[in-house]
Short mmCIF file of all heavy atoms in Angstrom, two decimals:
data_model
loop_
_atom_site.label_atom_id
_atom_site.label_comp_id
_atom_site.label_asym_id
_atom_site.label_seq_id
_atom_site.Cartn_x
_atom_site.Cartn_y
_atom_site.Cartn_z
N PHE Q 310 71.15 167.21 -69.61
CA PHE Q 310 71.50 166.45 -70.83
C PHE Q 310 72.95 166.13 -70.76
O PHE Q 310 73.88 166.99 -70.50
CB PHE Q 310 71.18 167.14 -72.05
CG PHE Q 310 71.70 166.51 -73.39
CD1 PHE Q 310 71.05 165.42 -73.76
CD2 PHE Q 310 72.74 167.02 -74.10
CE1 PHE Q 310 71.45 164.79 -74.96
CE2 PHE Q 310 73.19 166.37 -75.15
CZ PHE Q 310 72.54 165.22 -75.63
N GLU Q 312 75.46 164.30 -73.47
CA GLU Q 312 75.55 163.51 -74.64
C GLU Q 312 76.20 162.21 -74.59
O GLU Q 312 76.10 161.32 -75.35
CB GLU Q 312 76.15 164.47 -75.67
CG GLU Q 312 77.60 164.83 -75.53
CD GLU Q 312 78.20 165.60 -76.66
OE1 GLU Q 312 77.52 166.61 -77.05
OE2 GLU Q 312 79.20 165.47 -77.12
N TYR Q 315 74.24 159.02 -74.66
CA TYR Q 315 73.62 158.61 -75.83
C TYR Q 315 74.54 158.64 -77.12
O TYR Q 315 74.19 158.98 -78.17
CB TYR Q 315 72.50 159.62 -76.25
CG TYR Q 315 71.65 159.98 -74.93
CD1 TYR Q 315 71.54 161.26 -74.45
CD2 TYR Q 315 70.69 159.00 -74.36
CE1 TYR Q 315 70.80 161.66 -73.34
CE2 TYR Q 315 69.88 159.40 -73.40
CZ TYR Q 315 69.93 160.67 -72.85
OH TYR Q 315 69.10 160.99 -71.74
N ASN Q 316 75.69 158.12 -76.85
CA ASN Q 316 76.77 158.11 -77.93
C ASN Q 316 76.24 157.32 -79.17
O ASN Q 316 76.74 157.56 -80.28
CB ASN Q 316 77.99 157.50 -77.40
CG ASN Q 316 78.87 158.53 -76.64
OD1 ASN Q 316 78.73 159.73 -76.91
ND2 ASN Q 316 79.60 157.96 -75.70
N ASP Q 317 75.39 156.40 -79.12
CA ASP Q 317 74.92 155.56 -80.15
C ASP Q 317 73.60 156.12 -80.81
O ASP Q 317 73.02 155.43 -81.59
CB ASP Q 317 74.76 154.16 -79.78
CG ASP Q 317 73.66 153.94 -78.61
OD1 ASP Q 317 73.37 155.02 -78.02
OD2 ASP Q 317 73.15 152.86 -78.38
N SER Q 318 73.27 157.40 -80.51
CA SER Q 318 72.04 157.86 -81.06
C SER Q 318 72.39 159.29 -81.69
O SER Q 318 73.46 159.93 -81.59
CB SER Q 318 70.96 158.11 -79.99
OG SER Q 318 71.13 159.26 -79.25
N PHE Q 319 71.35 159.78 -82.46
CA PHE Q 319 71.48 161.13 -83.05
C PHE Q 319 71.50 162.23 -82.06
O PHE Q 319 71.87 163.27 -82.44
CB PHE Q 319 70.35 161.23 -84.08
CG PHE Q 319 68.93 161.42 -83.40
CD1 PHE Q 319 68.42 162.69 -83.08
CD2 PHE Q 319 68.20 160.36 -83.10
CE1 PHE Q 319 67.21 162.94 -82.63
CE2 PHE Q 319 66.88 160.54 -82.56
CZ PHE Q 319 66.46 161.80 -82.17
N LEU Q 320 71.20 162.02 -80.88
CA LEU Q 320 71.22 163.02 -79.82
C LEU Q 320 72.61 163.59 -79.51
O LEU Q 320 72.84 164.61 -79.05
CB LEU Q 320 70.58 162.61 -78.46
CG LEU Q 320 69.17 162.35 -78.57
CD1 LEU Q 320 68.62 161.89 -77.10
CD2 LEU Q 320 68.31 163.47 -79.01
N SER Q 321 73.63 162.75 -79.94
CA SER Q 321 74.97 163.10 -79.76
C SER Q 321 75.52 164.01 -81.00
O SER Q 321 76.62 164.52 -80.82
CB SER Q 321 75.90 161.90 -79.56
OG SER Q 321 75.95 161.14 -80.73
N TYR Q 322 74.76 164.13 -81.98
CA TYR Q 322 75.12 164.89 -83.10
C TYR Q 322 75.10 166.42 -82.78
O TYR Q 322 74.30 166.81 -82.04
CB TYR Q 322 74.35 164.64 -84.41
CG TYR Q 322 74.43 163.14 -84.75
CD1 TYR Q 322 73.36 162.71 -85.67
CD2 TYR Q 322 75.31 162.29 -84.30
CE1 TYR Q 322 73.29 161.39 -86.02
CE2 TYR Q 322 75.25 160.87 -84.69
CZ TYR Q 322 74.28 160.43 -85.53
OH TYR Q 322 74.14 159.13 -85.88
N GLN Q 323 75.96 167.20 -83.54
CA GLN Q 323 75.82 168.66 -83.40
C GLN Q 323 75.63 169.25 -84.80
O GLN Q 323 76.53 169.08 -85.67
CB GLN Q 323 77.04 169.26 -82.81
CG GLN Q 323 77.33 168.79 -81.36
CD GLN Q 323 76.26 169.27 -80.34
OE1 GLN Q 323 75.69 170.33 -80.56
NE2 GLN Q 323 75.91 168.43 -79.39
N SER Q 324 74.46 169.76 -85.04
CA SER Q 324 74.09 170.29 -86.37
C SER Q 324 74.62 171.73 -86.52
O SER Q 324 74.67 172.45 -85.58
CB SER Q 324 72.61 170.21 -86.63
OG SER Q 324 72.01 168.90 -86.54
N GLU Q 325 74.98 172.10 -87.78
CA GLU Q 325 75.35 173.39 -88.08
C GLU Q 325 74.18 174.41 -88.36
O GLU Q 325 73.16 173.89 -88.83
CB GLU Q 325 76.30 173.38 -89.29
CG GLU Q 325 77.53 172.66 -89.07
CD GLU Q 325 78.54 172.73 -90.33
OE1 GLU Q 325 78.16 173.46 -91.30
OE2 GLU Q 325 79.57 172.21 -90.18
N PRO Q 480 69.32 175.13 -82.79
CA PRO Q 480 69.89 173.69 -82.69
C PRO Q 480 68.78 172.59 -82.58
O PRO Q 480 69.02 171.50 -83.32
CB PRO Q 480 70.71 173.79 -81.38
CG PRO Q 480 71.12 175.25 -81.23
CD PRO Q 480 69.94 175.93 -81.89
N ASN Q 483 67.39 172.31 -86.35
CA ASN Q 483 68.51 171.68 -87.21
C ASN Q 483 68.69 170.29 -86.98
O ASN Q 483 68.89 169.50 -87.95
CB ASN Q 483 69.82 172.46 -86.94
CG ASN Q 483 69.87 174.00 -87.40
OD1 ASN Q 483 70.67 174.71 -86.93
ND2 ASN Q 483 68.89 174.33 -88.13
N ASP Q 484 68.73 169.86 -85.68
CA ASP Q 484 68.95 168.50 -85.35
C ASP Q 484 67.75 167.67 -85.94
O ASP Q 484 67.91 166.54 -86.47
CB ASP Q 484 69.06 168.17 -83.87
CG ASP Q 484 70.33 168.66 -83.26
OD1 ASP Q 484 71.21 169.14 -84.16
OD2 ASP Q 484 70.68 168.50 -82.13
N ASN Q 487 67.96 167.43 -89.82
CA ASN Q 487 69.10 166.60 -90.27
C ASN Q 487 68.78 165.13 -89.97
O ASN Q 487 69.16 164.20 -90.82
CB ASN Q 487 70.38 167.00 -89.67
CG ASN Q 487 70.88 168.35 -90.23
OD1 ASN Q 487 70.60 168.61 -91.36
ND2 ASN Q 487 71.59 169.15 -89.42
N GLU Q 488 68.21 164.81 -88.82
CA GLU Q 488 67.89 163.39 -88.63
C GLU Q 488 66.81 162.89 -89.43
O GLU Q 488 66.74 161.83 -89.91
CB GLU Q 488 67.51 163.22 -87.13
CG GLU Q 488 67.22 161.80 -86.63
CD GLU Q 488 68.32 160.79 -86.91
OE1 GLU Q 488 69.44 161.16 -87.08
OE2 GLU Q 488 67.96 159.46 -86.89
N VAL Q 491 68.39 161.83 -92.65
CA VAL Q 491 69.18 160.59 -92.48
C VAL Q 491 68.14 159.46 -92.69
O VAL Q 491 68.39 158.46 -93.29
CB VAL Q 491 69.85 160.54 -91.08
CG1 VAL Q 491 70.18 159.19 -90.75
CG2 VAL Q 491 70.96 161.53 -91.09
N ARG Q 492 66.99 159.57 -92.04
CA ARG Q 492 66.02 158.44 -92.00
C ARG Q 492 65.29 158.33 -93.51
O ARG Q 492 64.98 157.27 -93.84
CB ARG Q 492 64.90 158.70 -90.99
CG ARG Q 492 65.54 158.61 -89.60
CD ARG Q 492 64.55 158.72 -88.46
NE ARG Q 492 65.30 158.77 -87.10
CZ ARG Q 492 64.87 158.20 -86.04
NH1 ARG Q 492 63.70 157.63 -85.92
NH2 ARG Q 492 65.60 158.29 -84.93
N LEU Q 529 64.57 164.84 -78.81
CA LEU Q 529 65.11 166.19 -78.85
C LEU Q 529 64.59 167.01 -77.74
O LEU Q 529 65.21 168.04 -77.35
CB LEU Q 529 64.88 166.81 -80.29
CG LEU Q 529 65.77 166.20 -81.33
CD1 LEU Q 529 65.39 166.85 -82.69
CD2 LEU Q 529 67.21 166.48 -81.09
N LYS Q 532 67.09 166.58 -75.06
CA LYS Q 532 68.33 167.37 -75.32
C LYS Q 532 68.19 168.86 -75.06
O LYS Q 532 69.18 169.35 -74.52
CB LYS Q 532 68.82 167.04 -76.78
CG LYS Q 532 70.10 167.57 -77.25
CD LYS Q 532 70.58 167.22 -78.48
CE LYS Q 532 71.96 167.81 -78.89
NZ LYS Q 532 72.46 167.32 -80.13
N TYR Q 533 67.12 169.40 -75.48
CA TYR Q 533 66.93 170.86 -75.39
C TYR Q 533 65.86 171.21 -74.36
O TYR Q 533 65.25 172.25 -74.52
CB TYR Q 533 66.60 171.48 -76.72
CG TYR Q 533 67.71 171.21 -77.81
CD1 TYR Q 533 67.63 170.26 -78.78
CD2 TYR Q 533 68.95 171.92 -77.69
CE1 TYR Q 533 68.67 169.98 -79.69
CE2 TYR Q 533 69.96 171.69 -78.64
CZ TYR Q 533 69.79 170.72 -79.63
OH TYR Q 533 70.87 170.49 -80.43
#
Side-chain angles (χ1 to χ4, degrees):
F310 176 73
E312 67 178 41
Y315 313 110
N316 280 332
D317 59 345
S318 84
F319 69 93
L320 293 184
S321 63
Y322 304 162
Q323 296 297 327
S324 300
E325 295 183 3
N483 292 164
D484 285 358
N487 287 330
E488 179 60 17
V491 168
R492 298 187 184 209
L529 286 175
K532 183 174 181 179
Y533 297 106

